[in-house]
Structures are given as structure tokens and as C-alpha cells.
Amino acid sequence: LNLAVITKKYKRDFVVTGHRIPSDISVDDQNRVIAEVTKTCTAIGYLNGPLDFDARISNDRVTIIEMSPRLGGNGIPVIIERGTGVDLFSTVIQQSLSDKVKLPEKADIHRSCGALIFGSHTEGILEHCAADREIMHAVPEIFEYHLYFKIGDEVPRFTHGGNSLGYAFFDCPPQLTYSSVVARIINTLQIIVSKKSTNRNQRGVN
């Protein structure tokens, strides 16, 4: 692999709720993962292009759970660029246009940061969710925030990433943990969803 950044994944039940870098996986285990992914890619002949993968690590082996020839979802490229300075979106576009792409041999993480994917526990009508100015003022660690619905829109239950309400991307200074920043964000979001009314039209943004 020319470049590998391993993130820490967070879940609620089986729903992915966020990622952060750097991962808390040891350097030795990260090298084991990279070696196993490299071996797998070589075996199937995938030698050039983006790659997203999930792996499970045990004492005696690394198991590749899934992999696909694409950039990672759930905001992973955004936090990689924030943390390492490597713009994966531009890199993949350049490669698709057959331009020469030069990546660093190692992605040095100079900033700890994370992504939070947030959604509603129930489907219904969005009555309240913090606007960008409000949440970025309350949680200054946030550097990018997206809310994909408007107040009054019908929103789905958060059962997978496609049903999310939005994303928050934030820095994790040394004195703070990922979980502590996420708790402040969720507390500020104050998501309120009321029961769906039969006489309202759906206005959700897909």
C-alpha cells in the first residue's frame, strides 16, 4: 500500500456513528493489518486505486472482514485530510483522469480529529436540531458541520448511514477524548422529532 490510515470506528448496536484518528491500535498491529491487506490485494490483482476495508485483529491473525475499491464512507476522507493533510478526494479524481498521483510513503498524523454521524431514534417530523452557528459556537472543536434536513421535514429512523441527519467533524485536542467531545455535540444538537402527521408532505433531502 502506498498510503494507509487506520481509523477507530464507533458503533451503536450495528450502526456506525463515527470514526477518529489516530487509532488506538498499536503500531505493530497496524503493520500486521497493512501486511494482510497488501497480501489480499496482491492475490486479487488490485494494485492501484482507493481502498476501504474493515479488519478484525486477534493474537494469531488479522481477518479482513470486508474491502471495496472506494474511499471510506462516514466522513473518513474528511478527517484524514484534516489529520494528515492528504486530500483523498483530489487524489482519486486525478487518478481517474490518468494523471500521475504522488502520495507520501507514510501518512503522518499531526492532528487528532473525529467524525460524528447523528440521527433520530424514531421517524417523524424534525422539530428541532441545532443550526451550524449555534453548535459551532457551543463546541468550538467542530471545524465542519452538515445538517441535511430542515425543521419541519420528515426524517427517517437512524438505522444506517443513509438515514443520518448529518455529520459533525471536530478536532480532539490532547486534553479531550473523542467521547467527551461527542457528548457535548449531542447535548447541543437537542434533536427533537415528533410523531409523523398524515397530512404533512414529505420534504426530506436525500
Tab-separated table of all heavy atoms in Angstrom, residues 124-170:
chain	number	residue	atom	x	y	z
A	124	GLY	N	-40.198	10.575	11.978
A	124	GLY	CA	-41.210	11.574	12.301
A	124	GLY	C	-40.864	12.918	11.705
A	124	GLY	O	-40.147	12.994	10.693
A	125	ILE	N	-41.340	13.984	12.332
A	125	ILE	CA	-41.130	15.346	11.848
A	125	ILE	C	-40.054	16.017	12.698
A	125	ILE	O	-40.138	16.028	13.926
A	125	ILE	CB	-42.432	16.160	11.907
A	125	ILE	CG1	-43.544	15.442	11.131
A	125	ILE	CG2	-42.211	17.568	11.352
A	125	ILE	CD1	-43.213	15.185	9.669
A	126	LEU	N	-39.044	16.561	12.046
A	126	LEU	CA	-37.953	17.230	12.759
A	126	LEU	C	-38.448	18.566	13.308
A	126	LEU	O	-38.771	19.482	12.548
A	126	LEU	CB	-36.766	17.453	11.823
A	126	LEU	CG	-35.522	18.083	12.458
A	126	LEU	CD1	-34.940	17.161	13.537
A	126	LEU	CD2	-34.460	18.369	11.391
A	127	GLU	N	-38.515	18.654	14.615
A	127	GLU	CA	-38.983	19.882	15.280
A	127	GLU	C	-37.826	20.781	15.694
A	127	GLU	O	-37.961	21.999	15.741
A	127	GLU	CB	-39.836	19.525	16.505
A	127	GLU	CG	-41.066	18.683	16.203
A	127	GLU	CD	-42.121	19.421	15.408
A	127	GLU	OE1	-42.026	20.661	15.308
A	127	GLU	OE2	-43.042	18.774	14.877
A	128	HIS	N	-36.680	20.175	16.017
A	128	HIS	CA	-35.522	20.990	16.407
A	128	HIS	C	-34.232	20.213	16.211
A	128	HIS	O	-34.159	19.004	16.461
A	128	HIS	CB	-35.607	21.406	17.881
A	128	HIS	CG	-34.432	22.243	18.315
A	128	HIS	ND1	-33.273	21.696	18.840
A	128	HIS	CD2	-34.227	23.594	18.272
A	128	HIS	CE1	-32.419	22.661	19.102
A	128	HIS	NE2	-32.966	23.824	18.771
A	129	CYS	N	-33.223	20.903	15.736
A	129	CYS	CA	-31.839	20.413	15.703
A	129	CYS	C	-30.960	21.644	15.552
A	129	CYS	O	-31.289	22.554	14.778
A	129	CYS	CB	-31.603	19.436	14.553
A	129	CYS	SG	-29.968	18.648	14.605
A	130	ALA	N	-29.881	21.707	16.288
A	130	ALA	CA	-29.046	22.911	16.320
A	130	ALA	C	-28.560	23.307	14.929
A	130	ALA	O	-28.170	22.464	14.122
A	130	ALA	CB	-27.854	22.693	17.240
A	131	ALA	N	-28.585	24.611	14.659
A	131	ALA	CA	-28.048	25.149	13.415
A	131	ALA	C	-26.528	25.240	13.520
A	131	ALA	O	-25.950	25.135	14.605
A	131	ALA	CB	-28.647	26.524	13.143
A	132	ASP	N	-25.865	25.467	12.380
A	132	ASP	CA	-24.405	25.444	12.355
A	132	ASP	C	-23.773	26.480	13.274
A	132	ASP	O	-22.826	26.177	14.006
A	132	ASP	CB	-23.878	25.581	10.922
A	132	ASP	CG	-24.472	26.766	10.175
A	132	ASP	OD1	-25.313	27.489	10.761
A	132	ASP	OD2	-24.082	26.975	9.016
A	133	ARG	N	-24.278	27.707	13.252
A	133	ARG	CA	-23.678	28.740	14.106
A	133	ARG	C	-23.820	28.386	15.582
A	133	ARG	O	-22.903	28.583	16.380
A	133	ARG	CB	-24.343	30.089	13.836
A	133	ARG	CG	-23.981	30.707	12.498
A	133	ARG	CD	-24.580	32.091	12.356
A	133	ARG	NE	-24.246	32.696	11.074
A	133	ARG	CZ	-24.654	33.899	10.690
A	133	ARG	NH1	-25.401	34.628	11.522
A	133	ARG	NH2	-24.315	34.381	9.513
A	134	GLU	N	-24.981	27.847	15.943
A	134	GLU	CA	-25.242	27.502	17.333
A	134	GLU	C	-24.300	26.420	17.826
A	134	GLU	O	-23.685	26.535	18.894
A	134	GLU	CB	-26.696	27.042	17.466
A	134	GLU	CG	-27.110	26.634	18.863
A	134	GLU	CD	-28.527	26.113	18.905
A	134	GLU	OE1	-29.209	26.108	17.850
A	134	GLU	OE2	-28.956	25.689	19.998
A	135	ILE	N	-24.161	25.361	17.051
A	135	ILE	CA	-23.375	24.225	17.532
A	135	ILE	C	-21.881	24.510	17.456
A	135	ILE	O	-21.107	24.087	18.318
A	135	ILE	CB	-23.742	22.934	16.774
A	135	ILE	CG1	-23.218	21.720	17.547
A	135	ILE	CG2	-23.208	22.936	15.344
A	135	ILE	CD1	-23.830	20.417	17.151
A	136	MET	N	-21.439	25.276	16.446
A	136	MET	CA	-20.017	25.580	16.339
A	136	MET	C	-19.584	26.590	17.391
A	136	MET	O	-18.418	26.629	17.783
A	136	MET	CB	-19.681	26.054	14.923
A	136	MET	CG	-19.900	24.968	13.869
A	136	MET	SD	-19.600	25.474	12.165
A	136	MET	CE	-17.823	25.261	12.057
A	137	HIS	N	-20.522	27.398	17.864
A	137	HIS	CA	-20.218	28.309	18.973
A	137	HIS	C	-20.124	27.524	20.282
A	137	HIS	O	-19.224	27.765	21.099
A	137	HIS	CB	-21.294	29.378	19.079
A	137	HIS	CG	-21.126	30.278	20.271
A	137	HIS	ND1	-20.167	31.263	20.331
A	137	HIS	CD2	-21.781	30.313	21.470
A	137	HIS	CE1	-20.239	31.876	21.498
A	137	HIS	NE2	-21.206	31.320	22.209
A	138	ALA	N	-21.042	26.567	20.484
A	138	ALA	CA	-21.066	25.798	21.725
A	138	ALA	C	-19.926	24.786	21.801
A	138	ALA	O	-19.414	24.493	22.886
A	138	ALA	CB	-22.410	25.073	21.862
A	139	VAL	N	-19.517	24.257	20.644
A	139	VAL	CA	-18.435	23.254	20.603
A	139	VAL	C	-17.399	23.753	19.601
A	139	VAL	O	-17.415	23.381	18.422
A	139	VAL	CB	-18.972	21.866	20.186
A	139	VAL	CG1	-17.880	20.802	20.327
A	139	VAL	CG2	-20.198	21.478	21.007
A	140	PRO	N	-16.461	24.593	20.020
A	140	PRO	CA	-15.513	25.212	19.090
A	140	PRO	C	-14.550	24.231	18.426
A	140	PRO	O	-13.870	24.594	17.465
A	140	PRO	CB	-14.768	26.226	19.970
A	140	PRO	CG	-14.981	25.766	21.376
A	140	PRO	CD	-16.319	25.111	21.398
A	141	GLU	N	-14.491	23.002	18.939
A	141	GLU	CA	-13.633	21.997	18.303
A	141	GLU	C	-14.162	21.585	16.929
A	141	GLU	O	-13.426	21.028	16.107
A	141	GLU	CB	-13.518	20.748	19.196
A	141	GLU	CG	-12.743	20.963	20.489
A	141	GLU	CD	-13.615	21.565	21.581
A	141	GLU	OE1	-14.850	21.693	21.390
A	141	GLU	OE2	-13.058	21.914	22.630
A	142	ILE	N	-15.437	21.838	16.655
A	142	ILE	CA	-16.025	21.475	15.364
A	142	ILE	C	-15.454	22.373	14.268
A	142	ILE	O	-15.453	23.594	14.392
A	142	ILE	CB	-17.563	21.603	15.397
A	142	ILE	CG1	-18.159	20.586	16.373
A	142	ILE	CG2	-18.161	21.413	14.001
A	142	ILE	CD1	-19.657	20.715	16.547
A	143	PHE	N	-14.980	21.759	13.177
A	143	PHE	CA	-14.483	22.547	12.051
A	143	PHE	C	-15.379	22.417	10.817
A	143	PHE	O	-15.220	23.169	9.847
A	143	PHE	CB	-13.030	22.174	11.704
A	143	PHE	CG	-12.823	20.743	11.268
A	143	PHE	CD1	-12.990	20.363	9.950
A	143	PHE	CD2	-12.435	19.781	12.199
A	143	PHE	CE1	-12.775	19.051	9.547
A	143	PHE	CE2	-12.226	18.464	11.810
A	143	PHE	CZ	-12.401	18.099	10.483
A	144	GLU	N	-16.323	21.478	10.834
A	144	GLU	CA	-17.253	21.339	9.711
A	144	GLU	C	-18.523	20.658	10.222
A	144	GLU	O	-18.447	19.703	10.997
A	144	GLU	CB	-16.614	20.515	8.587
A	144	GLU	CG	-17.380	20.522	7.294
A	144	GLU	CD	-16.615	19.837	6.154
A	144	GLU	OE1	-15.368	19.888	6.155
A	144	GLU	OE2	-17.265	19.250	5.282
A	145	TYR	N	-19.674	21.165	9.774
A	145	TYR	CA	-20.947	20.644	10.266
A	145	TYR	C	-21.960	20.651	9.134
A	145	TYR	O	-22.054	21.620	8.378
A	145	TYR	CB	-21.443	21.520	11.423
A	145	TYR	CG	-22.835	21.195	11.935
A	145	TYR	CD1	-23.089	20.040	12.659
A	145	TYR	CD2	-23.899	22.079	11.715
A	145	TYR	CE1	-24.361	19.758	13.143
A	145	TYR	CE2	-25.166	21.810	12.203
A	145	TYR	CZ	-25.398	20.651	12.907
A	145	TYR	OH	-26.657	20.372	13.387
A	146	HIS	N	-22.707	19.542	8.997
A	146	HIS	CA	-23.718	19.441	7.951
A	146	HIS	C	-25.005	18.883	8.546
A	146	HIS	O	-24.999	17.814	9.173
A	146	HIS	CB	-23.254	18.513	6.825
A	146	HIS	CG	-21.993	18.959	6.155
A	146	HIS	ND1	-21.965	19.970	5.213
A	146	HIS	CD2	-20.706	18.538	6.306
A	146	HIS	CE1	-20.719	20.148	4.801
A	146	HIS	NE2	-19.938	19.295	5.460
A	147	LEU	N	-26.097	19.595	8.333
A	147	LEU	CA	-27.430	19.123	8.695
A	147	LEU	C	-28.209	19.006	7.391
A	147	LEU	O	-28.399	20.006	6.688
A	147	LEU	CB	-28.113	20.090	9.655
A	147	LEU	CG	-29.561	19.765	10.051
A	147	LEU	CD1	-29.649	18.419	10.764
A	147	LEU	CD2	-30.135	20.873	10.935
A	148	TYR	N	-28.656	17.788	7.048
A	148	TYR	CA	-29.237	17.539	5.738
A	148	TYR	C	-30.749	17.749	5.664
A	148	TYR	O	-31.337	17.586	4.599
A	148	TYR	CB	-28.905	16.113	5.292
A	148	TYR	CG	-27.421	15.857	5.192
A	148	TYR	CD1	-26.846	14.720	5.746
A	148	TYR	CD2	-26.585	16.762	4.542
A	148	TYR	CE1	-25.493	14.486	5.652
A	148	TYR	CE2	-25.229	16.531	4.445
A	148	TYR	CZ	-24.682	15.390	5.002
A	148	TYR	OH	-23.336	15.169	4.914
A	149	PHE	N	-31.372	18.096	6.770
A	149	PHE	CA	-32.814	18.310	6.798
A	149	PHE	C	-33.128	19.693	7.358
A	149	PHE	O	-32.318	20.273	8.084
A	149	PHE	CB	-33.509	17.242	7.655
A	149	PHE	CG	-33.452	15.854	7.074
A	149	PHE	CD1	-32.329	15.052	7.255
A	149	PHE	CD2	-34.523	15.342	6.351
A	149	PHE	CE1	-32.274	13.779	6.708
A	149	PHE	CE2	-34.477	14.067	5.816
A	149	PHE	CZ	-33.347	13.282	5.995
A	150	LYS	N	-34.317	20.172	7.040
A	150	LYS	CA	-34.798	21.441	7.578
A	150	LYS	C	-35.849	21.166	8.643
A	150	LYS	O	-36.478	20.097	8.651
A	150	LYS	CB	-35.393	22.307	6.473
A	150	LYS	CG	-34.444	22.638	5.319
A	150	LYS	CD	-35.082	23.589	4.335
A	150	LYS	CE	-36.301	23.000	3.644
A	150	LYS	NZ	-35.972	21.832	2.811
A	151	ILE	N	-36.035	22.097	9.540
A	151	ILE	CA	-37.091	21.974	10.538
A	151	ILE	C	-38.433	21.826	9.810
A	151	ILE	O	-38.741	22.589	8.897
A	151	ILE	CB	-37.127	23.203	11.470
A	151	ILE	CG1	-35.767	23.360	12.173
A	151	ILE	CG2	-38.250	23.067	12.483
A	151	ILE	CD1	-35.316	22.159	12.961
A	152	GLY	N	-39.224	20.837	10.209
A	152	GLY	CA	-40.489	20.552	9.547
A	152	GLY	C	-40.414	19.421	8.550
A	152	GLY	O	-41.448	18.918	8.088
A	153	ASP	N	-39.197	18.988	8.198
A	153	ASP	CA	-39.041	17.863	7.285
A	153	ASP	C	-39.370	16.544	7.981
A	153	ASP	O	-39.177	16.392	9.188
A	153	ASP	CB	-37.607	17.783	6.748
A	153	ASP	CG	-37.325	18.782	5.645
A	153	ASP	OD1	-38.284	19.366	5.112
A	153	ASP	OD2	-36.138	18.969	5.311
A	154	GLU	N	-39.822	15.599	7.181
A	154	GLU	CA	-39.996	14.243	7.675
A	154	GLU	C	-38.643	13.546	7.651
A	154	GLU	O	-37.921	13.597	6.653
A	154	GLU	CB	-40.997	13.498	6.788
A	154	GLU	CG	-41.381	12.122	7.311
A	154	GLU	CD	-42.469	11.474	6.471
A	154	GLU	OE1	-43.409	12.186	6.083
A	154	GLU	OE2	-42.345	10.260	6.203
A	155	VAL	N	-38.262	12.923	8.764
A	155	VAL	CA	-36.944	12.303	8.861
A	155	VAL	C	-37.088	10.811	9.180
A	155	VAL	O	-38.051	10.398	9.836
A	155	VAL	CB	-36.072	12.989	9.938
A	155	VAL	CG1	-35.842	14.452	9.571
A	155	VAL	CG2	-36.699	12.879	11.325
A	156	PRO	N	-36.126	10.000	8.731
A	156	PRO	CA	-36.186	8.562	8.982
A	156	PRO	C	-35.539	8.205	10.326
A	156	PRO	O	-34.830	9.011	10.929
A	156	PRO	CB	-35.371	7.979	7.835
A	156	PRO	CG	-34.330	9.036	7.569
A	156	PRO	CD	-35.019	10.359	7.832
A	157	ARG	N	-35.792	7.002	10.765
A	157	ARG	CA	-35.103	6.458	11.935
A	157	ARG	C	-33.678	6.108	11.548
A	157	ARG	O	-33.425	5.591	10.465
A	157	ARG	CB	-35.847	5.215	12.445
A	157	ARG	CG	-35.234	4.563	13.666
A	157	ARG	CD	-36.182	3.523	14.245
A	157	ARG	NE	-35.530	2.715	15.253
A	157	ARG	CZ	-35.026	1.500	15.043
A	157	ARG	NH1	-35.141	0.939	13.832
A	157	ARG	NH2	-34.438	0.836	16.010
A	158	PHE	N	-32.731	6.404	12.419
A	158	PHE	CA	-31.304	6.212	12.127
A	158	PHE	C	-30.928	4.737	12.298
A	158	PHE	O	-30.509	4.300	13.360
A	158	PHE	CB	-30.485	7.100	13.064
A	158	PHE	CG	-29.000	7.090	12.801
A	158	PHE	CD1	-28.494	6.910	11.527
A	158	PHE	CD2	-28.098	7.280	13.841
A	158	PHE	CE1	-27.132	6.911	11.287
A	158	PHE	CE2	-26.731	7.288	13.624
A	158	PHE	CZ	-26.247	7.101	12.340
A	159	THR	N	-31.081	3.982	11.209
A	159	THR	CA	-30.750	2.557	11.221
A	159	THR	C	-29.523	2.236	10.378
A	159	THR	O	-28.999	1.134	10.436
A	159	THR	CB	-31.935	1.725	10.701
A	159	THR	OG1	-32.310	2.209	9.392
A	159	THR	CG2	-33.129	1.833	11.648
A	160	HIS	N	-29.059	3.211	9.594
A	160	HIS	CA	-27.827	3.071	8.802
A	160	HIS	C	-27.405	4.460	8.345
A	160	HIS	O	-28.149	5.444	8.508
A	160	HIS	CB	-28.035	2.129	7.607
A	160	HIS	CG	-29.143	2.536	6.687
A	160	HIS	ND1	-29.023	3.549	5.752
A	160	HIS	CD2	-30.413	2.071	6.570
A	160	HIS	CE1	-30.151	3.685	5.092
A	160	HIS	NE2	-31.019	2.804	5.571
A	161	GLY	N	-26.197	4.540	7.774
A	161	GLY	CA	-25.638	5.838	7.418
A	161	GLY	C	-26.502	6.647	6.464
A	161	GLY	O	-26.526	7.875	6.525
A	162	GLY	N	-27.230	5.966	5.573
A	162	GLY	CA	-28.076	6.669	4.634
A	162	GLY	C	-29.263	7.355	5.285
A	162	GLY	O	-29.903	8.209	4.664
A	163	ASN	N	-29.554	6.985	6.531
A	163	ASN	CA	-30.669	7.592	7.266
A	163	ASN	C	-30.207	8.619	8.292
A	163	ASN	O	-30.962	8.987	9.189
A	163	ASN	CB	-31.483	6.512	7.990
A	163	ASN	CG	-32.447	5.797	7.069
A	163	ASN	OD1	-32.534	6.124	5.885
A	163	ASN	ND2	-33.155	4.814	7.570
A	164	SER	N	-28.987	9.075	8.182
A	164	SER	CA	-28.481	10.046	9.153
A	164	SER	C	-29.092	11.424	8.908
A	164	SER	O	-29.577	11.725	7.812
A	164	SER	CB	-26.959	10.149	9.063
A	164	SER	OG	-26.573	10.707	7.818
A	165	LEU	N	-29.069	12.243	9.951
A	165	LEU	CA	-29.489	13.639	9.811
A	165	LEU	C	-28.330	14.524	9.367
A	165	LEU	O	-28.543	15.569	8.766
A	165	LEU	CB	-30.037	14.169	11.143
A	165	LEU	CG	-31.309	13.522	11.685
A	165	LEU	CD1	-31.743	14.224	12.965
A	165	LEU	CD2	-32.414	13.544	10.658
A	166	GLY	N	-27.107	14.119	9.699
A	166	GLY	CA	-25.961	14.936	9.323
A	166	GLY	C	-24.668	14.456	9.937
A	166	GLY	O	-24.604	13.360	10.523
A	167	TYR	N	-23.635	15.290	9.788
A	167	TYR	CA	-22.287	14.993	10.265
A	167	TYR	C	-21.736	16.181	11.042
A	167	TYR	O	-22.038	17.332	10.722
A	167	TYR	CB	-21.325	14.751	9.099
A	167	TYR	CG	-21.456	13.435	8.379
A	167	TYR	CD1	-22.420	13.258	7.401
A	167	TYR	CD2	-20.582	12.384	8.658
A	167	TYR	CE1	-22.530	12.056	6.713
A	167	TYR	CE2	-20.679	11.182	7.972
A	167	TYR	CZ	-21.655	11.030	7.003
A	167	TYR	OH	-21.752	9.843	6.332
A	168	ALA	N	-20.885	15.880	12.005
A	168	ALA	CA	-20.060	16.899	12.652
A	168	ALA	C	-18.622	16.402	12.623
A	168	ALA	O	-18.352	15.251	12.995
A	168	ALA	CB	-20.505	17.142	14.084
A	169	PHE	N	-17.709	17.235	12.159
A	169	PHE	CA	-16.286	16.905	12.120
A	169	PHE	C	-15.567	17.812	13.114
A	169	PHE	O	-15.796	19.026	13.121
A	169	PHE	CB	-15.710	17.115	10.721
A	169	PHE	CG	-16.395	16.286	9.652
A	169	PHE	CD1	-17.355	16.848	8.831
A	169	PHE	CD2	-16.083	14.949	9.495
A	169	PHE	CE1	-17.998	16.096	7.859
A	169	PHE	CE2	-16.708	14.189	8.523
A	169	PHE	CZ	-17.670	14.761	7.705
A	170	PHE	N	-14.695	17.247	13.916
A	170	PHE	CA	-14.124	18.027	15.015
A	170	PHE	C	-12.703	17.587	15.347
A	170	PHE	O	-12.294	16.459	15.075
A	170	PHE	CB	-15.003	17.889	16.264
A	170	PHE	CG	-15.265	16.451	16.658
A	170	PHE	CD1	-14.431	15.783	17.540
A	170	PHE	CD2	-16.354	15.763	16.133
A	170	PHE	CE1	-14.667	14.461	17.882
A	170	PHE	CE2	-16.606	14.447	16.483
A	170	PHE	CZ	-15.760	13.799	17.358
